[in-house]
């Protein structure tokens, strides 16, 4: 992850508008435990395109990880409203096991609440 972060940072410096590089940079920061920096990179990417599900889903995880359930829920709802949930499964491979379980448990609990 540190090498990926260095490469992604270089790519972002070369083209600050490249969303894929920003997401790669955020994922690498997340993997090396620099969650706050990952959050900032994602917010910057989101400011350029507020309707991008891959960015919103990653931000949702970071909000849930911080304990901000309401914010995480709002971001997940936005992903669903956009209709592009195909990003969720690949993102789950990036999440650490504990965060993957957090997201799955949270989504399962919310689904049960909605069904009730």
């Amino acid at each position: 992850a540190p090498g990926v972060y260095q490469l992604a940072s270089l790519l972002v410096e070369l083209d600050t508008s490249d969303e894929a590089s920003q997401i790669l940079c955020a994922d690498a920061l997340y993997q090396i435990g620099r969650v706050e920096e990952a959050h900032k990179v994602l917010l910057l990417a989101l400011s350029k395109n507020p309707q991008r599900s891959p960015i919103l889903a990653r931000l949702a995880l970071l909000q849930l990880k911080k304990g901000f359930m309401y914010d995480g829920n709002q971001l997940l709802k936005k992903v669903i409203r956009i209709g592009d949930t195909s990003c969720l499964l690949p993102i789950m491979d990036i999440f650490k096991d504990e965060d993957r379980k957090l997201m799955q448990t949270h989504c399962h609990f919310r689904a049960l609440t909605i069904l009730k």
Side-chain angles (χ1 to χ4, degrees):
V4 172
Y5 168 67
Q6 290 176 347
L7 175 62
S9 295
L10 180 60
L11 292 172
V12 169
E13 285 180 31
L14 292 173
D15 184 2
T16 57
S17 65
D18 182 26
E19 183 179 287
S21 297
Q22 291 172 325
I23 290 173
L24 182 62
C25 186
D27 287 348
L29 284 166
Y30 162 80
Q31 286 292 325
I32 58 177
R34 293 166 59 183
V35 176
E36 287 302 320
E37 291 175 69
H39 190 258
K40 289 177 186 175
V41 170
L42 291 170
L43 287 177
L44 178 63
L46 188 65
S47 71
K48 295 175 185 172
N49 189 351
Q51 298 296 313
R52 291 290 294 149
S53 292
I55 297 168
L56 292 167
R58 285 169 170 85
L59 281 171
L61 167 76
L62 295 179
Q63 294 296 71
L64 293 174
K65 187 173 178 64
K66 292 178 184 180
F68 300 136
M69 299 303 167
Y70 179 80
D71 295 336
N73 282 337
Q74 295 306 309
L75 290 165
L76 288 172
K77 284 180 187 178
K78 195 168 185 179
V79 170
I80 292 166
R81 269 186 263 135
I82 292 169
D84 182 15
T85 57
S86 63
C87 66
L88 291 173
L89 194 54
I91 290 172
M92 294 301 270
D93 290 337
I94 296 166
F95 293 166
K96 295 177 182 176
D97 285 338
E98 64 198 40
D99 295 333
R100 187 178 310 117
K101 289 175 185 164
L102 172 67
M103 180 70 94
Q104 288 170 335
T105 302
H106 179 76
C107 289
H108 180 74
F109 176 73
R110 291 295 304 151
L112 288 176
T113 302
I114 291 168
L115 288 174
K116 288 178 183 177

